[in-house]
Amino acid sequence: MIKDYFHKNRPVYSLEVFPPKQDTDITSIYDSLDKFKELHPHFISVTYGAGGTTSENTFAIASYIQNQCGIEALTHLTCAAIPDKLFLTNFLTNLYRNGIRNILGLRGDQPRGMSDEQFASRYYEHASDLIADIKDAYPFSVAGACYPEIHQEAASLEEDVAHLKIKVDKGVDFLITQLFYDNEAFFRFLDKARSTGIDIPVLPGLMPIMTAGQVKNIIELSGCAIPDHLRHAIDKYRDSPADLKKAGLDYTKQQMDDLLAHGVDGIHLYSMNKVETAKYIFD
Ligand code: FAD
């Protein structure tokens, strides 16, 4: 189980993949996983479409990671995709009976095509409600999400961390952060979490910027800040994709070195199915 690695194998290194779109060939993700395996990550997490559209593939890919690659799989699951308790119980039973012992319990955002009313009346309101039922069902190693630069709906760091404490107390074994580019923001968040009594491992999540076009999406989705020196590099190499990619990868490497020098519990790389990215950072 992943939670045991934090005692035996610190720092813990992990990767993240997402199931390919429903109308694309699924072979490529399995080929990528065979290559990710050569990097010997402690675990690989598999995302879950907020509306449940990836459910079958998330399960199939997690099962491949666990049973064919021999690497711990962390399956993401979102409240927005759970209509009732039976759905949850069956999903968890499928995981457990197939040897998967790790799950990341998430609220998820409002899926495209779901009305405000439907989203507001979801079966589990907060990730903490889902996590309580996961813990009751099977002895999974359970992860939760956290936000060094505050979740977009929270009014302040204090409020967000107070909510995080509720979630952790429901049985979270370790946390993975939203991606960030400013290590100082992570250290501030970690101090606040520790002083609030959150003492479980926290994996900082990193994602290299590889194209200028990515920046807008990243800011919109995560709300994270881009430090000046990274922004200058992006502007400088805007017309030179190869240089921009290298600058983005090197920035993430420096971020990782600094975090490790500060004794973090490990590094979660938002590798997003890109083997070369993971190789460059983790080699
Ligand atoms: P919660 O912990 O429920 O928090 C959401 C908001 O509610 C916060 O503002 C929090 O302060 C507030 N809150 C929490 N508890 C309470 C409470 N008891 N009372 C009042 N307010 C409360 N999305 C996907 O769709 N699929 C994925 O696979 C996926 N993977 C992710 C992986 C990581 C590591 C991270 C960081 C995010 C991921 N997301 C994913 C995005 C995530 O679903 C969204 O960020 C979502 O908006 C919040 O999810 P959460 O689990 O953090 O929610």
CSV table of all heavy atoms in Angstrom, one decimal, residues 209-216 234 237-238 244:
chain,number,residue,atom,x,y,z
A,209,ILE,N,5.9,23.3,-17.6
A,209,ILE,CA,5.3,24.0,-18.7
A,209,ILE,C,6.1,23.7,-19.9
A,209,ILE,O,7.3,23.9,-19.9
A,209,ILE,CB,5.3,25.5,-18.4
A,209,ILE,CG1,4.2,25.8,-17.3
A,209,ILE,CG2,5.0,26.3,-19.6
A,209,ILE,CD1,4.1,27.2,-16.8
A,210,MET,N,5.5,23.2,-20.9
A,210,MET,CA,6.2,22.8,-22.1
A,210,MET,C,5.9,23.6,-23.4
A,210,MET,O,6.6,23.6,-24.3
A,210,MET,CB,5.8,21.3,-22.5
A,210,MET,CG,5.8,20.4,-21.3
A,210,MET,SD,7.4,19.7,-21.1
A,210,MET,CE,7.2,18.4,-22.2
A,211,THR,N,4.7,24.4,-23.3
A,211,THR,CA,4.4,25.2,-24.4
A,211,THR,C,3.8,26.5,-23.9
A,211,THR,O,3.2,26.5,-22.8
A,211,THR,CB,3.3,24.6,-25.4
A,211,THR,OG1,2.1,24.5,-24.6
A,211,THR,CG2,3.7,23.2,-25.9
A,212,ALA,N,3.9,27.6,-24.7
A,212,ALA,CA,3.4,28.9,-24.2
A,212,ALA,C,1.8,28.8,-24.1
A,212,ALA,O,1.2,29.4,-23.2
A,212,ALA,CB,3.8,30.0,-25.2
A,213,GLY,N,1.2,28.0,-25.0
A,213,GLY,CA,-0.2,27.9,-25.0
A,213,GLY,C,-0.8,27.2,-23.7
A,213,GLY,O,-1.9,27.4,-23.3
A,214,GLN,N,0.0,26.4,-23.0
A,214,GLN,CA,-0.4,25.7,-21.8
A,214,GLN,C,-0.7,26.7,-20.7
A,214,GLN,O,-1.5,26.4,-19.8
A,214,GLN,CB,0.8,24.9,-21.4
A,214,GLN,CG,0.6,23.4,-21.3
A,214,GLN,CD,1.9,22.8,-20.8
A,214,GLN,OE1,3.0,23.1,-21.2
A,214,GLN,NE2,1.7,21.8,-19.9
A,215,VAL,N,0.0,27.8,-20.7
A,215,VAL,CA,0.0,28.7,-19.5
A,215,VAL,C,-1.4,29.1,-19.1
A,215,VAL,O,-1.8,29.0,-17.9
A,215,VAL,CB,1.0,29.9,-19.7
A,215,VAL,CG1,1.0,30.8,-18.5
A,215,VAL,CG2,2.4,29.4,-20.0
A,216,LYS,N,-2.1,29.6,-20.1
A,216,LYS,CA,-3.5,30.1,-19.8
A,216,LYS,C,-4.3,29.0,-19.2
A,216,LYS,O,-5.0,29.2,-18.2
A,216,LYS,CB,-4.1,30.6,-21.1
A,216,LYS,CG,-5.3,31.4,-21.0
A,216,LYS,CD,-5.7,32.1,-22.3
A,216,LYS,CE,-7.1,32.6,-22.2
A,216,LYS,NZ,-8.1,31.7,-22.7
A,234,ILE,N,9.3,32.0,-20.4
A,234,ILE,CA,8.2,31.7,-21.3
A,234,ILE,C,8.2,32.8,-22.4
A,234,ILE,O,8.1,32.5,-23.6
A,234,ILE,CB,6.9,31.6,-20.6
A,234,ILE,CG1,6.9,30.4,-19.6
A,234,ILE,CG2,5.7,31.4,-21.6
A,234,ILE,CD1,5.8,30.4,-18.6
A,237,TYR,N,11.3,32.6,-24.9
A,237,TYR,CA,11.3,31.5,-25.8
A,237,TYR,C,10.0,31.3,-26.5
A,237,TYR,O,9.8,30.2,-27.1
A,237,TYR,CB,11.8,30.2,-25.1
A,237,TYR,CG,13.2,30.3,-24.5
A,237,TYR,CD1,13.4,30.1,-23.2
A,237,TYR,CD2,14.3,30.7,-25.3
A,237,TYR,CE1,14.7,30.2,-22.6
A,237,TYR,CE2,15.5,30.8,-24.8
A,237,TYR,CZ,15.7,30.5,-23.4
A,237,TYR,OH,17.0,30.6,-22.9
A,238,ARG,N,9.1,32.3,-26.5
A,238,ARG,CA,7.8,32.1,-27.0
A,238,ARG,C,7.8,31.6,-28.5
A,238,ARG,O,7.0,30.8,-28.9
A,238,ARG,CB,7.0,33.4,-27.0
A,238,ARG,CG,5.6,33.4,-27.2
A,238,ARG,CD,4.9,34.7,-26.7
A,238,ARG,NE,4.8,34.8,-25.3
A,238,ARG,CZ,3.8,34.2,-24.6
A,238,ARG,NH1,2.9,33.5,-25.2
A,238,ARG,NH2,3.8,34.3,-23.3
A,244,LEU,N,11.8,26.6,-25.2
A,244,LEU,CA,10.8,26.8,-24.2
A,244,LEU,C,10.5,25.5,-23.4
A,244,LEU,O,10.5,25.5,-22.2
A,244,LEU,CB,9.4,27.3,-24.8
A,244,LEU,CG,8.3,27.4,-23.9
A,244,LEU,CD1,8.6,28.4,-22.8
A,244,LEU,CD2,7.0,27.9,-24.6
